[in-house]
mmCIF file of all heavy atoms in Angstrom:
data_model
loop_
_atom_site.group_PDB
_atom_site.id
_atom_site.type_symbol
_atom_site.label_atom_id
_atom_site.label_comp_id
_atom_site.label_asym_id
_atom_site.label_seq_id
_atom_site.Cartn_x
_atom_site.Cartn_y
_atom_site.Cartn_z
ATOM 1 N N GLY A 1 -48.127 -64.039 -37.587
ATOM 2 C CA GLY A 1 -48.539 -63.577 -38.905
ATOM 3 C C GLY A 1 -49.355 -62.298 -38.912
ATOM 4 O O GLY A 1 -49.971 -61.973 -39.920
ATOM 5 N N LEU A 2 -49.363 -61.570 -37.814
ATOM 6 C CA LEU A 2 -50.105 -60.315 -37.773
ATOM 7 C C LEU A 2 -49.254 -59.215 -38.392
ATOM 8 O O LEU A 2 -48.069 -59.105 -38.118
ATOM 9 C CB LEU A 2 -50.456 -59.956 -36.327
ATOM 10 C CG LEU A 2 -51.381 -60.930 -35.615
ATOM 11 C CD1 LEU A 2 -51.522 -60.543 -34.153
ATOM 12 C CD2 LEU A 2 -52.741 -60.972 -36.288
ATOM 13 N N GLN A 3 -49.868 -58.412 -39.235
ATOM 14 C CA GLN A 3 -49.159 -57.315 -39.877
ATOM 15 C C GLN A 3 -49.199 -56.088 -38.968
ATOM 16 O O GLN A 3 -50.253 -55.736 -38.445
ATOM 17 C CB GLN A 3 -49.789 -56.988 -41.227
ATOM 18 C CG GLN A 3 -49.642 -58.113 -42.230
ATOM 19 C CD GLN A 3 -48.174 -58.460 -42.455
ATOM 20 O OE1 GLN A 3 -47.358 -57.595 -42.738
ATOM 21 N NE2 GLN A 3 -47.840 -59.726 -42.321
ATOM 22 N N ILE A 4 -48.053 -55.473 -38.809
ATOM 23 C CA ILE A 4 -47.942 -54.264 -37.998
ATOM 24 C C ILE A 4 -47.316 -53.196 -38.874
ATOM 25 O O ILE A 4 -46.213 -53.375 -39.379
ATOM 26 C CB ILE A 4 -47.089 -54.502 -36.743
ATOM 27 C CG1 ILE A 4 -47.719 -55.606 -35.889
ATOM 28 C CG2 ILE A 4 -46.923 -53.215 -35.946
ATOM 29 C CD1 ILE A 4 -46.873 -56.033 -34.715
ATOM 30 N N SER A 5 -48.032 -52.095 -39.051
ATOM 31 C CA SER A 5 -47.497 -51.021 -39.893
ATOM 32 C C SER A 5 -46.292 -50.390 -39.213
ATOM 33 O O SER A 5 -46.124 -50.460 -37.993
ATOM 34 C CB SER A 5 -48.574 -49.966 -40.163
ATOM 35 O OG SER A 5 -48.807 -49.204 -38.992
ATOM 36 N N THR A 6 -45.468 -49.740 -40.013
ATOM 37 C CA THR A 6 -44.309 -49.027 -39.473
ATOM 38 C C THR A 6 -44.775 -47.949 -38.507
ATOM 39 O O THR A 6 -44.198 -47.764 -37.434
ATOM 40 C CB THR A 6 -43.480 -48.405 -40.610
ATOM 41 O OG1 THR A 6 -43.050 -49.456 -41.468
ATOM 42 C CG2 THR A 6 -42.282 -47.649 -40.084
ATOM 43 N N ARG A 7 -45.848 -47.250 -38.866
ATOM 44 C CA ARG A 7 -46.397 -46.220 -37.985
ATOM 45 C C ARG A 7 -46.799 -46.820 -36.651
ATOM 46 O O ARG A 7 -46.484 -46.275 -35.595
ATOM 47 C CB ARG A 7 -47.600 -45.537 -38.625
ATOM 48 C CG ARG A 7 -48.235 -44.498 -37.704
ATOM 49 C CD ARG A 7 -49.640 -44.072 -38.154
ATOM 50 N NE ARG A 7 -50.214 -43.173 -37.197
ATOM 51 C CZ ARG A 7 -50.803 -43.549 -36.065
ATOM 52 N NH1 ARG A 7 -50.892 -44.813 -35.751
ATOM 53 N NH2 ARG A 7 -51.310 -42.660 -35.230
ATOM 54 N N ALA A 8 -47.498 -47.949 -36.671
ATOM 55 C CA ALA A 8 -47.949 -48.579 -35.420
ATOM 56 C C ALA A 8 -46.759 -48.967 -34.556
ATOM 57 O O ALA A 8 -46.770 -48.745 -33.338
ATOM 58 C CB ALA A 8 -48.817 -49.796 -35.725
ATOM 59 N N ALA A 9 -45.737 -49.547 -35.161
ATOM 60 C CA ALA A 9 -44.546 -49.934 -34.397
ATOM 61 C C ALA A 9 -43.892 -48.700 -33.773
ATOM 62 O O ALA A 9 -43.507 -48.724 -32.597
ATOM 63 C CB ALA A 9 -43.564 -50.675 -35.288
ATOM 64 N N ASP A 10 -43.797 -47.619 -34.534
ATOM 65 C CA ASP A 10 -43.205 -46.386 -34.008
ATOM 66 C C ASP A 10 -44.037 -45.826 -32.855
ATOM 67 O O ASP A 10 -43.495 -45.373 -31.847
ATOM 68 C CB ASP A 10 -43.075 -45.329 -35.104
ATOM 69 C CG ASP A 10 -42.019 -45.671 -36.141
ATOM 70 O OD1 ASP A 10 -41.183 -46.581 -35.895
ATOM 71 O OD2 ASP A 10 -42.033 -45.038 -37.220
ATOM 72 N N VAL A 11 -45.357 -45.848 -33.002
ATOM 73 C CA VAL A 11 -46.233 -45.327 -31.953
ATOM 74 C C VAL A 11 -46.127 -46.189 -30.697
ATOM 75 O O VAL A 11 -46.068 -45.665 -29.581
ATOM 76 C CB VAL A 11 -47.690 -45.207 -32.454
ATOM 77 C CG1 VAL A 11 -48.646 -44.902 -31.301
ATOM 78 C CG2 VAL A 11 -47.796 -44.129 -33.528
ATOM 79 N N VAL A 12 -46.089 -47.512 -30.860
ATOM 80 C CA VAL A 12 -45.938 -48.391 -29.693
ATOM 81 C C VAL A 12 -44.639 -48.071 -28.965
ATOM 82 O O VAL A 12 -44.611 -47.962 -27.730
ATOM 83 C CB VAL A 12 -46.000 -49.881 -30.087
ATOM 84 C CG1 VAL A 12 -45.536 -50.781 -28.943
ATOM 85 C CG2 VAL A 12 -47.411 -50.253 -30.516
ATOM 86 N N MET A 13 -43.556 -47.884 -29.691
ATOM 87 C CA MET A 13 -42.276 -47.571 -29.057
ATOM 88 C C MET A 13 -42.344 -46.230 -28.314
ATOM 89 O O MET A 13 -41.824 -46.093 -27.204
ATOM 90 C CB MET A 13 -41.161 -47.547 -30.097
ATOM 91 C CG MET A 13 -41.002 -48.867 -30.858
ATOM 92 S SD MET A 13 -40.830 -50.296 -29.799
ATOM 93 C CE MET A 13 -39.157 -50.066 -29.298
ATOM 94 N N LEU A 14 -43.001 -45.257 -28.898
ATOM 95 C CA LEU A 14 -43.171 -43.958 -28.256
ATOM 96 C C LEU A 14 -43.991 -44.089 -26.972
ATOM 97 O O LEU A 14 -43.623 -43.550 -25.923
ATOM 98 C CB LEU A 14 -43.847 -42.983 -29.224
ATOM 99 C CG LEU A 14 -44.247 -41.624 -28.662
ATOM 100 C CD1 LEU A 14 -43.005 -40.807 -28.312
ATOM 101 C CD2 LEU A 14 -45.113 -40.889 -29.652
ATOM 102 N N VAL A 15 -45.102 -44.820 -27.047
ATOM 103 C CA VAL A 15 -45.974 -45.005 -25.885
ATOM 104 C C VAL A 15 -45.229 -45.734 -24.769
ATOM 105 O O VAL A 15 -45.307 -45.342 -23.602
ATOM 106 C CB VAL A 15 -47.272 -45.739 -26.291
ATOM 107 C CG1 VAL A 15 -48.056 -46.214 -25.074
ATOM 108 C CG2 VAL A 15 -48.135 -44.836 -27.176
ATOM 109 N N VAL A 16 -44.490 -46.786 -25.114
ATOM 110 C CA VAL A 16 -43.701 -47.507 -24.111
ATOM 111 C C VAL A 16 -42.723 -46.544 -23.451
ATOM 112 O O VAL A 16 -42.611 -46.492 -22.210
ATOM 113 C CB VAL A 16 -42.964 -48.711 -24.739
ATOM 114 C CG1 VAL A 16 -41.873 -49.243 -23.810
ATOM 115 C CG2 VAL A 16 -43.950 -49.814 -25.077
ATOM 116 N N SER A 17 -42.008 -45.763 -24.233
ATOM 117 C CA SER A 17 -41.039 -44.812 -23.675
ATOM 118 C C SER A 17 -41.692 -43.837 -22.707
ATOM 119 O O SER A 17 -41.179 -43.592 -21.608
ATOM 120 C CB SER A 17 -40.359 -44.012 -24.790
ATOM 121 O OG SER A 17 -39.506 -44.827 -25.532
ATOM 122 N N GLU A 18 -42.812 -43.274 -23.104
ATOM 123 C CA GLU A 18 -43.472 -42.264 -22.271
ATOM 124 C C GLU A 18 -44.053 -42.874 -20.993
ATOM 125 O O GLU A 18 -43.886 -42.310 -19.908
ATOM 126 C CB GLU A 18 -44.572 -41.544 -23.070
ATOM 127 C CG GLU A 18 -44.061 -40.689 -24.192
ATOM 128 C CD GLU A 18 -43.171 -39.537 -23.736
ATOM 129 O OE1 GLU A 18 -43.289 -39.077 -22.586
ATOM 130 O OE2 GLU A 18 -42.328 -39.095 -24.547
ATOM 131 N N LEU A 19 -44.739 -44.018 -21.102
ATOM 132 C CA LEU A 19 -45.339 -44.629 -19.914
ATOM 133 C C LEU A 19 -44.276 -45.118 -18.934
ATOM 134 O O LEU A 19 -44.419 -44.959 -17.717
ATOM 135 C CB LEU A 19 -46.283 -45.767 -20.301
ATOM 136 C CG LEU A 19 -47.558 -45.363 -21.035
ATOM 137 C CD1 LEU A 19 -48.407 -46.597 -21.333
ATOM 138 C CD2 LEU A 19 -48.355 -44.333 -20.245
ATOM 139 N N VAL A 20 -43.208 -45.712 -19.452
ATOM 140 C CA VAL A 20 -42.131 -46.198 -18.586
ATOM 141 C C VAL A 20 -41.399 -45.018 -17.938
ATOM 142 O O VAL A 20 -41.081 -45.056 -16.743
ATOM 143 C CB VAL A 20 -41.171 -47.112 -19.372
ATOM 144 C CG1 VAL A 20 -39.875 -47.356 -18.614
ATOM 145 C CG2 VAL A 20 -41.857 -48.428 -19.687
ATOM 146 N N THR A 21 -41.181 -43.963 -18.690
ATOM 147 C CA THR A 21 -40.546 -42.771 -18.124
ATOM 148 C C THR A 21 -41.383 -42.223 -16.970
ATOM 149 O O THR A 21 -40.852 -41.877 -15.908
ATOM 150 C CB THR A 21 -40.348 -41.687 -19.202
ATOM 151 O OG1 THR A 21 -39.465 -42.196 -20.200
ATOM 152 C CG2 THR A 21 -39.789 -40.399 -18.616
ATOM 153 N N ASN A 22 -42.701 -42.160 -17.152
ATOM 154 C CA ASN A 22 -43.574 -41.666 -16.085
ATOM 155 C C ASN A 22 -43.504 -42.569 -14.857
ATOM 156 O O ASN A 22 -43.442 -42.073 -13.723
ATOM 157 C CB ASN A 22 -45.019 -41.547 -16.570
ATOM 158 C CG ASN A 22 -45.207 -40.349 -17.481
ATOM 159 O OD1 ASN A 22 -44.331 -39.503 -17.613
ATOM 160 N ND2 ASN A 22 -46.359 -40.288 -18.123
ATOM 161 N N ALA A 23 -43.526 -43.880 -15.062
ATOM 162 C CA ALA A 23 -43.453 -44.809 -13.923
ATOM 163 C C ALA A 23 -42.139 -44.633 -13.178
ATOM 164 O O ALA A 23 -42.109 -44.582 -11.944
ATOM 165 C CB ALA A 23 -43.618 -46.248 -14.399
ATOM 166 N N ARG A 24 -41.058 -44.531 -13.897
ATOM 167 C CA ARG A 24 -39.740 -44.376 -13.258
ATOM 168 C C ARG A 24 -39.619 -43.039 -12.543
ATOM 169 O O ARG A 24 -38.963 -42.941 -11.518
ATOM 170 C CB ARG A 24 -38.637 -44.500 -14.296
ATOM 171 C CG ARG A 24 -38.456 -45.923 -14.783
ATOM 172 C CD ARG A 24 -37.286 -46.031 -15.662
ATOM 173 N NE ARG A 24 -36.139 -45.374 -15.017
ATOM 174 C CZ ARG A 24 -34.896 -45.679 -15.230
ATOM 175 N NH1 ARG A 24 -34.606 -46.632 -16.071
ATOM 176 N NH2 ARG A 24 -33.918 -45.045 -14.635
ATOM 177 N N THR A 25 -40.231 -42.014 -13.093
ATOM 178 C CA THR A 25 -40.111 -40.674 -12.527
ATOM 179 C C THR A 25 -40.993 -40.474 -11.296
ATOM 180 O O THR A 25 -40.589 -39.834 -10.336
ATOM 181 C CB THR A 25 -40.487 -39.614 -13.588
ATOM 182 O OG1 THR A 25 -39.631 -39.785 -14.715
ATOM 183 C CG2 THR A 25 -40.346 -38.201 -13.055
ATOM 184 N N HIS A 26 -42.205 -41.043 -11.318
ATOM 185 C CA HIS A 26 -43.203 -40.707 -10.306
ATOM 186 C C HIS A 26 -43.533 -41.815 -9.319
ATOM 187 O O HIS A 26 -44.286 -41.568 -8.379
ATOM 188 C CB HIS A 26 -44.492 -40.240 -10.991
ATOM 189 C CG HIS A 26 -44.283 -39.053 -11.868
ATOM 190 N ND1 HIS A 26 -43.990 -37.795 -11.381
ATOM 191 C CD2 HIS A 26 -44.287 -38.923 -13.217
ATOM 192 C CE1 HIS A 26 -43.842 -36.953 -12.388
ATOM 193 N NE2 HIS A 26 -44.021 -37.609 -13.509
ATOM 194 N N ALA A 27 -43.017 -43.007 -9.511
ATOM 195 C CA ALA A 27 -43.380 -44.110 -8.607
ATOM 196 C C ALA A 27 -42.122 -44.785 -8.073
ATOM 197 O O ALA A 27 -41.189 -45.044 -8.833
ATOM 198 C CB ALA A 27 -44.242 -45.127 -9.341
ATOM 199 N N PRO A 28 -42.113 -45.085 -6.791
ATOM 200 C CA PRO A 28 -40.954 -45.795 -6.243
ATOM 201 C C PRO A 28 -41.010 -47.278 -6.602
ATOM 202 O O PRO A 28 -42.078 -47.842 -6.778
ATOM 203 C CB PRO A 28 -41.116 -45.601 -4.736
ATOM 204 C CG PRO A 28 -42.589 -45.472 -4.541
ATOM 205 C CD PRO A 28 -43.104 -44.778 -5.778
#
């Protein structure tokens, strides 16, 4: 029942993409 704004959901998706991209690019 927690409300998540559209902006928050979009930002979370962006952050996940960027952090995962960095892990895949720079760490074995």
